[in-house]
Amino acid sequence: MELMKKNIVVVGGGPGGLAAAVTAAREGKKVLLVERNGYLGGQLGSGLPFLAFWDKKRRQVIGGFAQEFVDRLQEEGASFGHAYCPHHLSTTLIDPFYSRILCFQMVKEAGVELLLHSELSGVHVEDGRIRSVVISGKGQNIEVESDIFIDATGDGDLASMSGAECEKGDSESHVMQPPTLMFNLAGIHFDRFMILSKRIRKSFPMMYFPILRKAIMPIFCGRTGALFSWECTICWKN
C-alpha cells in the first residue's frame, strides 16, 4: 500500500472542505483534499443559491473565503451578488457549473494536492488520536499520515469511523428530517408559467401563502448575466 504524509488531510471537497483546504494551504501547509466525486464543490455545484449573507437589517454578516468566492464569480459574470430574501434574509444566485471550475482554480492556486474519485475506507487510531487514514480509489488503496485530519464529509464519516460518539436524527427514534422535494423544469414559457403560478396560489388558503409565494426560484445559468427563462427550480413543501 502506498504511503503519503501531509500536514493536513481534508476529507470531503464540498464548500466546507474547499475553504478548509485552500485557506490552510495559503498558510504554507502541505494539504491533501480527498473527494469522492470527479468535481469539487458538492452542493455548491448543484444549482442551489447561497443563503443568509445578510442579517435582518440587511447588513452583511458573512465574509472571508465565502465572500471571496462570490466576488470571483461576479468578476466572471457567474453571479449577480446578494439580493434580499424575506425567508432567508439574502440569496445569492450562482452559476453551478462555473462554480465547479472556480473550485479547481482556487485549489490549484493554493497548491492543494487532490485525490478525486476517492473514498475514505479506513481509519487508524492510537491512544484516542487519528494517526492515519486509508483512501480507496480505482483499484488502489493509499494510507495517509497527517498531524491534522478535517472531517468535511457532510455525514461525519471520518468522526464515526474513528470511534467518536455520534448521534443521528431524533434523539429517541433516530428518524431523520425528510428533505424538500426539488426538481428541474426545462422547455417552458417562463412568463406564462409565472402567471399560472399566481393563479394557483390564489386557490390555496391564506395559511399556505407564505410558503408558496417564494416557491419558484430561477436558476442562474451561463455567464451572460441573465436568467434563462426556460429553466427553473421549484421548491415545494407542505
Side-chain angles (χ1 to χ4, degrees):
M1 183 185 302
E2 181 181 349
L3 177 64
M4 298 175 61
K5 294 184 179 181
K6 298 293 178 182
N7 297 135
I8 298 175
V9 175
V10 181
V11 184
L18 173 73
V22 171
T23 53
R26 288 175 177 175
E27 294 298 318
K29 301 299 182 181
K30 294 181 180 180
V31 181
L32 175 67
L33 178 58
V34 181
E35 169 55 39
R36 65 187 300 181
N37 294 310
Y39 62 90
L40 297 175
Q43 288 297 321
L44 183 146
S46 69
L48 292 174
F50 295 152
L51 303 175
F53 270 73
W54 297 349
D55 65 9
K56 291 183 178 180
K57 295 183 178 180
R58 306 190 188 188
R59 298 173 300 190
Q60 185 158 340
V61 293
I62 301 296
F65 183 86
Q67 184 58 50
E68 177 188 348
F69 196 89
V70 174
D71 290 341
R72 293 186 60 166
L73 287 176
Q74 286 188 272
E75 291 173 1
E76 298 297 330
S79 175
F80 295 134
H82 312 309
Y84 173 71
C85 172
H87 296 288
H88 305 106
L89 304 181
S90 75
T91 182
T92 310
L93 296 177
I94 62 173
D95 182 328
F97 301 107
Y98 188 76
S99 294
R100 299 180 185 183
I101 295 173
L102 180 57
C103 288
F104 279 111
Q105 289 178 340
M106 298 181 80
V107 163
K108 182 178 180 180
E109 292 167 0
V112 175
E113 187 171 346
L114 276 176
L115 281 179
L116 298 177
H117 299 291
S118 300
E119 290 265 11
L120 174 69
S121 59
V123 181
H124 179 211
V125 179
E126 287 184 2
D127 300 323
R129 186 180 181 89
I130 300 176
R131 300 300 179 182
S132 67
V133 296
V134 178
I135 307 299
S136 299
K138 184 78 172 181
Q140 183 179 18
N141 294 323
I142 302 174
E143 183 177 4
V144 187
E145 296 179 348
S146 180
D147 300 323
I148 298 174
F149 295 89
I150 297 176
D151 188 337
T153 61
D155 294 317
D157 293 340
L158 176 57
S160 178
M161 293 174 67
S162 65
E165 183 178 351
C166 300
E167 295 182 1
K168 181 178 179 180
D170 181 77
S171 59
E172 296 181 359
S173 66
H174 304 294
V175 173
M176 304 287 286
Q177 177 181 343
T180 300
L181 177 63
M182 303 186 67
F183 56 91
N184 292 343
L185 295 179
I188 66 171
H189 190 293
F190 193 75
D191 292 334
R192 291 173 61 187
F193 180 77
M194 293 300 293
I195 293 173
L196 176 62
S197 70
K198 292 179 181 179
R199 294 176 182 173
I200 293 176
R201 294 178 212 167
K202 293 179 180 179
S203 67
F204 281 84
M206 200 63 181
M207 63 180 293
Y208 291 109
F209 183 73
I211 295 176
L212 298 179
R213 66 179 178 177
K214 287 297 179 180
I216 301 166
M217 178 183 67
I219 292 181
F220 184 94
C221 298
R223 298 165 62 188
T224 60
L227 291 173
F228 277 55
S229 61
W230 45 263
E231 184 172 3
C232 69
T233 294
I234 298 180
C235 308
W236 201 274
K237 60 182 178 181
N238 294 324

